[in-house]
Amino acid sequence: MAKPSDFPDGFAHYPLYFSPAEQETLIAEVRTATETAPFFQPRMPRTGTPLSVVMSNFGPLGWVTDKEGGYRYEAQHPKTGAPWPPLPDILTKLWQDVTDWPDLPEACLINWYKDGAKMGMHVDRDELAVNAPVVSVSLGDPAMFRIGGPQRGGKTQGVKLLSGDVVVLAKEARRCYHGISKVDYGQSALVPKGGRINLTMRRVNL
Ligand code: MD6
Ligand code: FE
């Protein structure tokens, strides 16, 4: 059994940070946003292999990836060309509550995990603000979040994330490999079409 102290410095988990009513508010915000900024299929740089999640964004910048352009931030939706919907107040308040970063996040990635989707081990490193914390919210089905060290392939630890949970990666944890190894699909009725939604807020520019 891993002790919390075994997690990298700067890792924080806030179980059930959001109440069921707040989770409904967040899902309604996602539904409204994705009416104008529909989920798109992200693809790996160079190979064009699809990721298993679909994505959208809130905020002045959105994280996108495709075969030709690779991982990057863009101010417009890749399909509609329209600006991303604004970051909801409830997420700005979360950022201000769990970080002491002086600037607000510019990007909030919306990841939708349908049946069988997962996320490979990665480090969030497409931001100029490499030292700003990253804050994420889990909604819907439970998932196993794994976090290791700064080198790919090292020992990892798992934390089960439930709907309403918040995770912060700051300091050393900001540079550690992490991913979603499994989603327990069909356990929650929160997401109307099923699955898990993860919202990840990031500061991009210094
Ligand atoms: C997910 N989360 O929970 C994937 N990244 O679906 C992440 O990749 C993540 O939860 C940076 C900080 C917190 C995270
Ligand atoms: Fe990440």
Side-chain angles (χ1 to χ4, degrees), residues 107-128:
C108 180
L109 179 61
I110 307 171
N111 288 131
W112 183 13
Y113 295 74
K114 302 186 211 182
D115 197 6
K118 24 187 191 176
M119 182 159 308
M121 298 296 281
H122 66 276
V123 175
D124 297 29
R125 59 173 141 220
D126 303 313
E127 301 76 31
L128 293 170

Side-chain angles (χ1 to χ4, degrees), residues 132-143:
V134 180
V135 176
S136 91
V137 182
S138 292
L139 297 166
D141 287 332

Side-chain angles (χ1 to χ4, degrees), residues 74-125:
E74 294 280 4
Q76 282 94 26
H77 190 284
K79 288 283 188 292
T80 69
W84 304 101
L87 187 71
D89 288 345
I90 187 172
L91 291 174
T92 306
K93 289 199 184 96
L94 167 64
W95 177 272
Q96 291 172 328
D97 185 34
V98 300
T99 81
D100 51 14
W101 197 256
D103 309 306
L104 292 177
E106 293 154 304
C108 180
L109 179 61
I110 307 171
N111 288 131
W112 183 13
Y113 295 74
K114 302 186 211 182
D115 197 6
K118 24 187 191 176
M119 182 159 308
M121 298 296 281
H122 66 276
V123 175
D124 297 29
R125 59 173 141 220

